[in-house]
Amino acid sequence: MTRKNVWSLLAMILIGVAISWYSLRNVQLSHLMADILQLNWWWLLVALGCVGLYYGLEAVVVQKFVRHRYRHYSFKSALRVPLAEQLFNGITPFSSGGQPAQIFVMAQSGIDAGRASSVALMKFVVFQAMVVLNFLVAMLVGFHYLAEKLSYLSLYVLLGFLIHFAVIVGLLLVMYWYNFTKKAVKIVLIPVGWFMNDDRFTRLQATISEKIDSFYEESVRMTKDWRMLVEISLITFFQLLFYYMIPYFIMRAMGYHGINIIMVTSLNVLIFLVTSLFPIPGGAGGAEFGFTELFAKFIPSHSKLILAMLIWRILTYYLGLFLGMFAMAMRPEKAEEIKDRPNE
């Protein structure tokens, strides 16, 4: 990690401490301690297991993408990819650092940078597609609750969905209307050139064109292997499902019973979309606000609601940061490229 990244990490930890302090300002310490002592730690272990499955299933996806071209690419090497992604997503605005981090970690394991870039892009496409699919299901289940109880959040949820949907449309254009997309990108970039010098603008055009070409070539290869694509889509669907179920198990740890798991899971999908709108790394502030607003009905005790929110953020955000640092410090294992594959 660079010095800038270290400072970003420290800044996010300090912001997290400040948000936690602000959230706890109206909570009596005695009530908080009593709530902690009453926690059912077995349910918390289930929530922690969901976090592990979230990272583990993404590692399986990475392995499936890489193994057709490289031997000896271990699960340990693949696991470094989502952990590094989580770290750099969490310390950069709009999660912009996750993609370069994945490419860097795969390159450390001997994966060609171009191939690593294609894998990261295809993984991103499948992930975005499953996010949109989950959102459509969540809309059917939980949007009426959101519209009735928290109508002011409806606009943010819809905006988040439109952003994710636009990303999918753009990527599909590259996959199926390559020539049109290349021309459209050139037109869209024209106004950008008004604010950049010629050399810098030319480099930007070349970089974007190279990424489009790389993604198109990989997508053509991938769409020929529908079986693997379906497998990866199913794995990613369940990966997200385990992530979305975490608040339910936290509520069970709090001692709440009779909770509608489908409703809670669906509302967490909506939180995911709201969080993606906040430019602050990790959606800091937005994530905490969304959780407390959406789940206040399910956790009527204010002290328990704040405790549940803090546990949720520790499991889904801060744990990933520290695991990511550990993954970056691990010595990478080298994979061996498979040469002279037929039909390649």
Side-chain angles (χ1 to χ4, degrees), residues 1 55 79-88 105 317-330:
M1 292 177 64
Y55 294 131
L79 186 58
R80 292 182 70 231
V81 176
L83 294 180
E85 177 190 12
Q86 183 73 10
L87 170 61
F88 285 91
V105 168
Y317 178 62
Y318 295 103
L319 178 61
L321 296 183
F322 288 102
L323 290 176
M325 287 190 291
F326 178 74
M328 293 298 293
M330 290 171 59

Side-chain angles (χ1 to χ4, degrees), residues 16-151:
V17 171
I19 291 173
S20 299
W21 173 82
Y22 182 81
S23 300
L24 291 166
R25 71 192 187 284
N26 295 323
V27 176
Q28 292 186 20
L29 183 60
S30 59
H31 291 170
L32 181 66
M33 293 305 298
D35 292 335
I36 292 174
L37 292 174
Q38 292 172 8
L39 285 172
N40 185 321
W41 294 94
W42 290 109
W43 282 115
L44 281 184
L45 284 175
V46 175
L48 182 61
C50 286
V51 176
L53 286 168
Y54 176 78
Y55 294 131
L57 289 175
E58 187 168 347
V60 172
V61 169
V62 173
Q63 268 193 313
K64 283 186 172 292
F65 272 126
V66 170
R67 275 188 165 177
H68 74 285
R69 291 297 302 267
Y70 290 85
R71 296 189 188 94
H72 311 307
Y73 189 70
S74 66
F75 180 79
K76 175 185 172 183
S77 296
L79 186 58
R80 292 182 70 231
V81 176
L83 294 180
E85 177 190 12
Q86 183 73 10
L87 170 61
F88 285 91
N89 275 347
I91 62 175
T92 53
F94 291 113
S95 302
S96 56
Q99 287 273 325
Q102 293 179 73
I103 296 167
F104 174 77
V105 168
M106 283 188 275
Q108 282 187 318
S109 294
I111 311 300
D112 175 74
R115 177 65 59 181
S117 179
S118 297
V119 168
L121 279 169
M122 286 306 299
K123 188 163 73 68
F124 177 72
V125 172
V126 175
F127 187 87
Q128 289 295 314
M130 293 302 103
V131 166
V132 170
L133 178 61
N134 277 283
F135 172 79
L136 294 175
V137 175
M139 283 280 284
L140 295 174
V141 176
F143 192 73
H144 68 280
Y145 169 82
L146 188 69
E148 288 178 10
K149 305 294 184 181
L150 303 163
S151 57

Side-chain angles (χ1 to χ4, degrees), residues 211-253:
K211 288 186 178 296
I212 291 174
D213 292 341
S214 175
F215 174 69
Y216 174 72
E217 291 170 6
E218 187 67 15
S219 65
V220 168
R221 188 194 64 77
M222 280 299 304
T223 50
K224 292 178 181 178
D225 192 350
W226 282 101
R227 180 177 178 181
M228 186 172 80
L229 198 57
V230 169
E231 288 178 0
I232 287 171
S233 298
L234 286 173
I235 293 169
T236 304
F237 177 85
F238 284 104
Q239 174 199 356
L240 285 167
L241 180 62
F242 284 119
Y243 176 87
Y244 294 141
M245 290 172 66
I246 292 171
Y248 171 78
F249 295 120
I250 292 175
M251 291 179 195
R252 293 303 306 270

Side-chain angles (χ1 to χ4, degrees), residues 181-193:
T181 306
K182 293 276 281 191
K183 293 176 182 177
V185 168
K186 286 184 179 180
I187 294 172
V188 170
L189 286 177
I190 289 175
V192 178

